[in-house]
Amino acid sequence: MSLSLAWKIARRELRGGLHGFRVFLACLALGVAAIAALGTVRAGIEAGLRNEGAALLGGDAEIELTYRYAMPDESAWMQSIATQISETVDFRSLVVVERDVVERGLTQVRAVDSAYPLIGSVTLDPPIALDDALADHGAVMEPVLADRLGLRAGDTFKLGEQAFTLRAILTRYPDNASGGFGFGPRTIVLTDDLAQSGLLAEGTLFSTQYRLTLPDGADLAALETEADEKFADSGLRWRDKRRGAGGTQRFVERIGSFLILMGLAGLAVGGVGVSSAVRTYLAGKTRTIATLKTLGATRSTVFQVYFIEIGILTLIGIAIGLILGAGLPIIFAPLIEAQLPLPADFRLRAGTLFEAALYGSLTALIFTLWPLARSEGIKPATLFRDATDDTQLPRWRYIIAVAILIALLLASASWLSGTVFLTLWTAGGIAVTLVLLYLAATLIRWIARRASRAARGRPTLRHALSAIATQRGDVFSVVLSLGLGLTVLATVGQIDGNLRAAFQDDLPEVAPSYFFIDIQPNQIDGFNARLADDPLVSKVDTAPMLRGIITQINGTPADEYTNGHWVTRGDRGVTYADGLPKGTTVTAGEWWPAGYNGPPLMSFAAEEAAEMGIDIGDDITVNILGRDITAKISSLREVSWEDAGIGFVMALNESALAGAPHSWIATVYAEAEAEAPILRDLAGLYPNITAIRIRDAIDQVVELVSGIATATRYGAAVTLLTGFLVLIGAAAAGERTRTFEAAVLKTLGATRGSILLSFALRSALLGIAAGIVALFSGMLGGWAVTTFVMDGGYRVIWGNATLIISIGMVTSLLAGLAFALRPLAAKPAQVLRGRE
């Protein structure tokens, strides 16, 4: 009976329209739309990667080997399961264009056979067949490298000691999303044409990929298991069309999850607006609630009435958000797809819409339950006098219900995003920020109260400060909503600024000019001789280098032992040394003596060893060029990755790697004016050597970071927009109060200009205060992420700081002034008579 009565009353109240709930709907709809849109884009890209997995991979499956070709038993197994096989070789080299001034450019070479590509097609400009383009030492090249070197179809260039003719520009090719981060644009040539180039000698750093087409209905999971079992210790890596994009797909998933968590931060800001709108609406219904109670309505009936009303409006807001969030990406799908380097399939997906609706529903419940529960405390005496208590707490059952809803929201976000750690960090950051902002709002009111006393003789300023001190609702709405939005923006700006600074400002002071690879053992002496007497070269570091995959630790599969630590994912650099190398700092254990010729011993990077849970005396099995070497850890040592110098996780005694083909790497520290002559001389002497300019590598990383930062800024901008809507709602709700203030001030002789200035000062001061609080919260968040998540240094990015405070002031000022004109236009007599 009670619920039926509540439904009847709620339905009649809703006939009065949505006055007071426009901001409620806007905040909820915008937050849900942001999450739905991000989820739709992420799901569309993931679906495109799944659907085009074979084309992206270049086959139904791929077997990758590090710095070697397939062994006879591996080739025989591939022949037994595949209907067709294509072998490609991937490595870095320098494109050399011999003109009056010799030009060089770093490229990622893909050497292919006549079967390439098994699946998918290569698109060239001019549109010719790939076989024709690669015939007679032909080559194709991506446009960015061709433009940089001024190459056109028909021009010649060299890779190592072999000349090639550029036949066409490479505009699209299969397997371009599966290779991960590369240091240069792509060049494709035939493997057979590299026979005389000197680039694929023993010990050269390269990888081979064997792409397979499989019979219809082949069980990919079973084949992967068979490959892992048969070749567990060979370093063979299997990938198939189920995850054809490899690391790119994981990157998309992680960035998508992160952006959805950014959307949750926007929903939290919207939640402040939702709570404020409900509180304002219920404040206007105080006499109605008191009347209902006078007529015998119970607490539960009053709660049910307004719960039903707000529940219906919540469903409307979520529906609007889902329509916008899912519809806009589909409408603009052609434009989005044109900007993406990956395939995408944008369509309505129930899972994505459910996720957005779930987040919106839980957020609305969390932020409306509290003010709704407090409506139970309104007494019938309110009809006769102002008996409301805005500070009372709801009953315990409602507090417990809110806590359960928050836990459910966190659990849902952790499960659906697949990133428990990041979700908890985000939730913790939002919670801490809200607490800080609440405390800051209280402090701002306290400061304003005392400052207003000191502002005697300045009526405009004093009135602005007095209003801040007395109008609790306005202060908390502005500081919480605007402050949280600005905090997200400030945190993103601080993290982005610190990443850029780490790459652009800090590294060049300590980083080498060049990183050289593929130096053959018979070339290292001549290499060092060229640099030894150069006065502009301050330091040269060289080291022998092989690549290996850690397969076992103490007899247990490495991935299982370390729970997938990055060191055990893929191949890692391995070096050897006889005596203790110069500059090496051993932190535990002892280095083997010079001339040691016993069982293999290993020195391991101390920090990574601690992370992996290994120590002195543990056995590490490393597969190098198909051969397993089991070494005992004899020492741990410091390894620095920050200075772009030479660093190896693993170093073995020299005799352990005796006879293994390998090359040398080197880092050269030189003045800027020496870089070009060094490259010219060494590339001329040793065409097989590849030089990577550290500045170019840093620029590529900075470009990648910039793209991520831009995406996160869009998420932060949505959060800020939601905060602006909350400010508009707070300003609209306080319009009646400001109308009364303006009437009183006019009666006391104040001019319209001074009243408007007072309103503007109030809004600007609150905006500045919110910006300052957000800035410090953003600095705290930026410091936490860069220090504990990225394990880097932190410094304040003051340009971003100034921008945040400015945005806070301008946003609050605009929202305040938007609802200041009607109070100024109202006639004092009418307003004051209405309050009698």
Side-chain angles (χ1 to χ4, degrees), residues 90-173:
D90 209 72
F91 62 95
R92 299 184 190 96
S93 185
L94 288 176
V95 171
V96 180
V97 181
E98 295 180 342
R99 299 191 181 104
D100 293 338
V101 176
V102 177
E103 296 184 63
R104 297 175 176 84
L106 185 66
T107 185
Q108 196 81 20
V109 179
R110 174 154 293 164
V112 304
D113 58 13
S114 58
Y116 176 87
L118 294 182
I119 297 177
S121 60
V122 175
T123 305
L124 303 176
D125 182 20
I128 59 176
L130 182 63
D131 289 343
D132 295 335
L134 300 185
D136 299 323
H137 293 93
V140 296
M141 182 183 294
E142 286 193 289
V144 63
L145 181 59
D147 291 343
R148 186 184 307 160
L149 297 175
L151 292 173
R152 298 290 180 268
D155 293 344
T156 60
F157 63 89
K158 280 189 173 183
L159 291 174
E161 297 179 359
Q162 179 65 58
F164 289 89
T165 301
L166 181 66
R167 296 277 168 69
I169 299 300
L170 180 62
T171 58
R172 190 176 182 87
Y173 59 100

Side-chain angles (χ1 to χ4, degrees), residues 186 217 242 268 304 312 501-502 552 596 628 688 781:
R186 179 71 65 187
R242 292 173 297 174
Q304 289 167 8
I312 293 172
Q552 292 189 334
Y596 175 78
D628 277 343
N688 61 288

Side-chain angles (χ1 to χ4, degrees), residues 167-458:
R167 296 277 168 69
I169 299 300
L170 180 62
T171 58
R172 190 176 182 87
Y173 59 100
D175 56 40
N176 63 328
S178 60
F181 179 76
F183 281 110
R186 179 71 65 187
T187 299
I188 297 179
V189 298
L190 288 175
T191 305
D192 291 344
D193 290 343
L194 292 170
Q196 305 303 317
S197 68
L199 294 176
L200 295 178
E202 283 192 335
T204 300
L205 304 182
F206 68 90
S207 63
T208 54
Q209 297 86 29
Y210 295 86
R211 296 187 175 89
L212 319 174
T213 53
L214 303 172
D216 293 340
D219 189 335
L220 296 173
L223 289 174
E224 181 178 12
T225 301
E226 184 180 352
D228 290 342
E229 291 175 352
K230 289 180 69 72
F231 307 108
D233 299 328
S234 70
L236 176 149
R237 294 194 292 278
W238 170 282
R239 187 164 71 241
D240 56 56
K241 61 185 179 183
R242 292 173 297 174
R243 294 187 67 87
T248 301
Q249 189 161 346
R250 289 191 294 274
F251 178 78
V252 169
E253 290 170 356
R254 290 170 183 170
I255 289 296
S257 297
F258 176 72
L259 290 175
I260 285 179
L261 291 175
M262 291 278 291
L264 282 178
L267 261 181
V269 176
V272 175
V274 165
S275 180
S276 176
V278 172
R279 190 172 60 250
T280 302
Y281 177 75
L282 291 175
K285 292 291 182 179
T286 298
R287 290 184 174 271
T288 302
I289 295 171
T291 301
L292 288 172
K293 287 193 172 182
T294 301
L295 296 174
T298 63
R299 283 184 169 190
S300 60
T301 301
V302 171
F303 178 84
Q304 289 167 8
V305 167
Y306 294 101
F307 186 82
I308 290 171
E309 285 188 41
I310 292 168
I312 293 172
L313 293 170
T314 297
L315 293 177
I316 294 172
I318 290 174
I320 294 171
L322 293 178
I323 293 170
L324 288 174
L328 290 176
I330 294 175
I331 292 172
F332 292 104
L335 295 177
I336 299 173
E337 290 172 4
Q339 299 298 316
L340 289 173
L342 303 168
D345 179 17
F346 295 123
R347 65 177 68 177
L348 291 177
R349 288 181 170 82
T352 298
L353 300 181
F354 170 78
E355 183 178 358
L358 177 64
Y359 292 151
S361 301
L362 290 174
T363 302
L365 275 172
I366 290 167
F367 283 95
T368 60
L369 197 57
W370 193 280
L372 272 176
R374 284 167 53 179
S375 68
E376 289 187 347
I378 296 176
K379 300 175 182 178
T382 305
L383 282 170
F384 309 104
R385 54 190 168 84
D386 186 7
T388 57
D389 182 6
D390 194 41
T391 61
Q392 66 176 351
L393 291 174
R395 288 191 286 175
W396 274 105
R397 66 180 183 182
Y398 295 114
I399 296 175
I400 294 171
V402 170
I404 293 173
L405 288 170
I406 292 173
L408 183 59
L409 178 62
L410 292 179
S412 302
S414 300
W415 175 51
L416 292 171
S417 70
T419 53
V420 177
F421 178 77
L422 183 59
T423 300
L424 294 179
W425 261 89
T426 303
I430 292 172
V432 169
T433 301
L434 285 173
V435 171
L436 290 176
L437 290 170
Y438 186 90
L439 295 175
T442 304
L443 179 62
I444 289 166
R445 293 182 65 219
W446 182 84
I447 293 172
R449 187 176 298 114
R450 273 142 186 81
S452 65
R453 297 172 187 170
R456 290 176 180 172
R458 299 175 183 173

